Amino acid sequence: MKYHARTGTGARGGTRKGIRVAVAAGLTLATVATVGGCAFARPRVVVPPSYYPTPTSTSTGYSTAYPTPSYEPTYSPSPTQETYDPDGRADVSGSNCDFSNSLRQFTYTVSITNPSSTDTYSYDMAVNWMKAKPADGKAYGLHERSITVGPGATETYTAKYTVNQSSIGQFWYTCQITRAHKTRM
């Protein structure tokens, strides 16, 4: 685009016209450049907000930036909370399974340990002396007793059964704790 300037007769008039021409030319150039989209172009920068974490891909297909809902229970029993099982055979052990020929008596030492730190239990015990050879399920004798054991305590007693025969030949036997039913007191 061309501009023609008329020159005036005085120095003042020519200077003013020259300034006007320069301003007009600058405004025209800025308008043309802006409309054309090439003048004073700023790069467009998109800044993500700082409160959103950068999403990443995982093998599950979910973004680790946002927590996945969990439906697992968060309750766990405290270490002092105890479970109650009426079968108390796990609390009982036996030793010294014996038979005295002179007394015609079976004996077995039974120890009961109460695992609870707070509760007292009554144990309804049954001890059998069983035929071992052949192990046909027959019992020679049975001893039954109830015993109370306090929290964390151990009680030991000797279970006994006397045979009613005057003479007993050679035989094989085993001792078995067949019942230890536990009741909370």
Side-chain angles (χ1 to χ4, degrees):
M1 180 181 271
K2 292 185 178 181
Y3 286 98
H4 296 283
R6 247 176 23 181
T7 56
T9 55
R12 273 176 108 201
T15 305
R16 242 188 270 168
K17 283 184 185 178
I19 292 173
R20 281 188 214 153
V21 169
V23 169
L27 287 174
T28 303
L29 182 61
T31 303
V32 169
T34 303
V35 170
C38 64
F40 309 112
R42 291 187 203 162
R44 188 163 187 200
V45 177
V46 178
V47 179
S50 62
Y51 51 86
Y52 289 122
T54 305
T56 57
S57 176
T58 64
S59 61
T60 61
Y62 291 105
S63 169
T64 56
Y66 305 102
T68 306
S70 173
Y71 299 104
E72 295 179 19
T74 56
Y75 171 77
S76 62
S78 66
T80 58
Q81 193 173 16
E82 299 167 354
T83 57
Y84 169 70
D85 182 5
D87 184 0
R89 285 181 290 178
D91 304 348
V92 180
S93 63
S95 61
N96 302 324
C97 181
D98 199 13
F99 178 77
S100 170
N101 260 336
S102 60
L103 298 173
R104 297 187 322 272
Q105 189 177 63
F106 288 103
T107 57
Y108 193 45
T109 304
V110 178
S111 293
I112 307 166
T113 302
N114 181 352
S116 174
S117 60
T118 57
D119 295 321
T120 298
Y121 290 106
S122 174
Y123 291 83
D124 181 27
M125 302 295 302
V127 176
N128 276 41
W129 289 270
M130 305 295 292
K131 188 175 178 183
K133 291 184 183 180
D136 57 6
K138 292 184 181 177
Y140 292 121
L142 171 68
H143 168 85
E144 294 179 301
R145 178 177 178 181
S146 288
I147 188 164
T148 302
V149 184
T154 299
E155 296 290 333
T156 302
Y157 73 95
T158 301
K160 297 177 183 178
Y161 178 78
T162 303
V163 178
N164 291 330
Q165 294 173 318
S166 57
S167 67
I168 297 177
Q170 185 176 3
F171 64 98
W172 299 91
Y173 62 96
T174 63
C175 300
Q176 295 178 2
I177 298 169
T178 54
R179 183 178 69 241
H181 184 78
K182 182 165 68 170
T183 306
R184 186 177 282 132
M185 300 295 286

